[in-house]
Every structure is written in structure tokens, then in C-alpha cells.
């Protein structure tokens, strides 16, 4: 079951939904819900990243670890929160780097839908999490699922930009052919690590420079 995946992603990923591990993942989520576990994001938002950035349009991938685990925050896009929700610390630091790099004033909203609609796939390694329990689904079948997504993007597209922030995301570099794509790594934008290399990384301008060099539409990074 792919829930509400867009047509071109559904065609690319349809074989996954027939895999045993994916069926076990569905059973796990159903079991958790049946035992009164609150899962984020809401079921109809789990695949938002794919709905908003089709396979054809995707040109930048920002990889997060797992969804926000507090009520009302997660809506299927890595690092993003819905309008009206307080901006989380990591996203505040992303906005700070954006301001330093491209002189874009920090937004009052943490909703990154505008990025997604331009072809920025805001992908978490795990697409669900239990309320108030960070990393709780990190060892579920989601990791196999999202690794396969990265494999497909790597194999079937050219000149993508992968932004890998933090040690967890950085491990995915092994899945990416750097002769075909640009991989930019930095420390995680969390307040615990942003000063170790995220601030000053200039990933937003570097992304646009690469896209422009390959005659691709640049990203308007204003949230």
C-alpha cells in the first residue's frame, strides 16, 4: 500500500510494496496503532515528501533522520513543521545559515512546502515515529524503504544534489555515485552540533551553483 503516492513515484516504488519487509512494516504500524500508540505524522501525511516533489521534478534531496515526535509538528517533510507551529531549533539554525549564505531573512513559518514544490525532496530515513519517542521507528522497515528510494534516484537520475547533514545522513554517501551527482555534507543543524561545520557550509548557494552549471532551474530558497 502506497497510500497517496504520486503516480510517477508509485510506478518507481510499486515493487517495494510487494516486499516482505514492507508488509511487516505495515503490520508493525497497525499493531502499534491497535495498542494505542500515537504515531506521527498522521497517516495521510506520511508520504507528503513524495506527493509534493514528484520523481520527475526532484533535483535536491535533504535527508533527515526521523519525524518530529511532538504533537502537531510532523507533516511528512524533513525539518519542516506546519504553519502556526513553533519553529524547532534545528530549523532555526537552517534559517540562520540561509540568511548568512543568501541573505534571505528567516521566515516566521517553519513550513517548507515551498521548497518541496520546487523539487526538493525533504526525506526522512524513517517516515514515522512514536509520540515523544525519538528514533522509535529507526530500526523498522523504513530504512530499507528510504535506502531504496536513494538507490533509485541515484541510478535513474542525473545531476541531483544530496544535502547530508549529520553523521546519520552522512552514512548514505555510500549509496550515491558522486560522478553523477553532487553530495554536500556538514554537521547536523541541531544546536548541539551546528557550530561544528553546519554554520558557514553555504550549501544553499552551492546547490544553486551546481544546478545552474547543469542548466537546471535553481531553487528559490525563501521558505
Amino acid at each position: 500500500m502506497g497510500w497517496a503516492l504520486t503516480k510517477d513515484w508509485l510506478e518507481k516504488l510499486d515493487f517495494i510494496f510487494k516486499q516482505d519487509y514492507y508488509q511487516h512494516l505495515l503490520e508493525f504500524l497497525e499493531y502499534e496503532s491497535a495498542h494505542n500508540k500515537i504515531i506521527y505524522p498522521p497517516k495521510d501525511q506520511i508520504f507528503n515528501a513524495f506527493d509534493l516533489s514528484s520523481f520527475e521534478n526532484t533535483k535536491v534531496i535533504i535527508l533527515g533522520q526521523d519525524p518530529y515526535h511532538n504533537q502537531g509538528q510532523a507533516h511528512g517533510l524533513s525539518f519542516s513543521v506546519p504553519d502556526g507551529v513553533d519553529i524547532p531549533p534545528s530549523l532555526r539554525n537552517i534559517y540562520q545559515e540561509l540568511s548568512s549564505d543568501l541573505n534571505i531573512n528567516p521566515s516566521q513559518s517553519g513550513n517548507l512546502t515551498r521548497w518541496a514544490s520546487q523539487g526538493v525532496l525533504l526525506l526522512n530515513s524513517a517516515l514515522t515515529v512514536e509520540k515523544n519517542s525519538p528514533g522509535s521507528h529507526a530500526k523498522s522497515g523504513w530504512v530499507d524503504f528510504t535506502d531504496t528510494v536513494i538507490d533509485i534516484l541515484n541510478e535513474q537520475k542525473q545531476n541531483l544534489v544530496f544535502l547530508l547533514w549529520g553523521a546519520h545522513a552522512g552514512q548514505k554517501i555510500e549509496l550515491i555515485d558522486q560522478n553523477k551527482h553532487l553530495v554536500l555534507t556538514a554537521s547536523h543543524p541541531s544546536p548541539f552540533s551546528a557550530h561544528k561545520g553546519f554554520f558557514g557550509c553555504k550549501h544553499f548557494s552551492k546547490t544553486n551553483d551546481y544546478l545552474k552549471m547543469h542548466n537546471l532551474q535553481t531553487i528559490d530558497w525563501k521558505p
Side-chain angles (χ1 to χ4, degrees):
M1 179 180 179
W3 284 301
L5 276 172
T6 52
K7 187 171 185 288
D8 67 347
W9 272 119
L10 193 56
E11 291 172 351
K12 298 294 182 184
L13 303 179
D14 184 60
F15 75 97
I16 293 179
F17 305 130
K18 301 179 178 70
Q19 301 295 316
D20 286 344
Y21 81 81
Y22 190 79
Q23 298 305 314
H24 294 154
L25 172 60
L26 290 182
E27 291 168 4
F28 164 72
L29 293 174
E30 289 170 1
Y31 178 87
E32 294 288 279
S33 295
H35 287 76
N36 300 316
K37 299 287 181 67
I38 298 175
I39 306 299
Y40 296 137
K43 189 173 181 178
D44 63 350
Q45 297 177 19
I46 289 174
F47 286 100
N48 260 1
F50 301 92
D51 295 336
L52 293 168
S53 182
S54 68
F55 179 82
E56 181 181 358
N57 290 339
T58 292
K59 50 194 169 184
V60 180
I61 298 90
I62 298 180
L63 187 66
Q65 190 161 352
D66 59 3
Y68 295 120
H69 56 87
N70 293 325
Q71 183 176 359
Q73 290 183 310
H75 67 140
L77 305 176
S78 62
F79 295 103
S80 178
V81 292
D83 290 324
V85 175
D86 288 345
I87 298 173
S90 291
L91 184 53
R92 287 195 180 279
N93 287 339
I94 290 170
Y95 283 175
Q96 183 174 329
E97 174 59 23
L98 190 58
S99 175
S100 172
D101 185 10
L102 292 174
N103 201 30
I104 294 175
N105 291 328
S107 174
Q108 298 302 306
S109 171
N111 192 333
L112 302 180
T113 297
R114 192 167 178 273
W115 291 4
S117 66
Q118 297 177 73
V120 180
L121 184 68
L122 295 163
L123 181 67
N124 281 313
S125 289
L127 301 192
T128 58
V129 69
E130 183 184 338
K131 180 182 180 181
N132 298 332
S133 185
S136 51
H137 294 182
K139 295 183 178 180
S140 70
W142 281 130
V143 176
D144 292 322
F145 175 88
T146 52
D147 279 359
T148 302
V149 170
I150 294 171
D151 280 335
I152 291 170
L153 287 164
N154 175 62
E155 290 292 331
Q156 299 186 25
K157 295 193 70 115
Q158 297 276 349
N159 305 134
L160 296 172
V161 182
F162 291 84
L163 304 184
L164 307 181
W165 297 335
H168 179 83
Q171 294 172 2
K172 306 301 182 181
I173 197 169
E174 299 175 359
L175 303 173
I176 304 164
D177 182 350
Q178 296 185 69
N179 293 315
K180 292 172 60 179
H181 310 291
L182 177 65
V183 180
L184 298 174
T185 62
S187 63
H188 196 276
S190 159
F192 299 107
S193 56
H195 62 285
K196 297 178 181 178
F198 179 77
F199 290 139
C201 69
K202 298 188 179 297
H203 280 186
F204 303 104
S205 59
K206 289 177 180 178
T207 293
N208 278 350
D209 288 345
Y210 180 84
L211 294 175
K212 191 181 300 181
M213 182 172 67
H214 291 281
N215 298 312
L216 297 168
Q217 182 65 44
T218 58
I219 305 298
D220 178 356
W221 288 110
K222 183 179 179 181

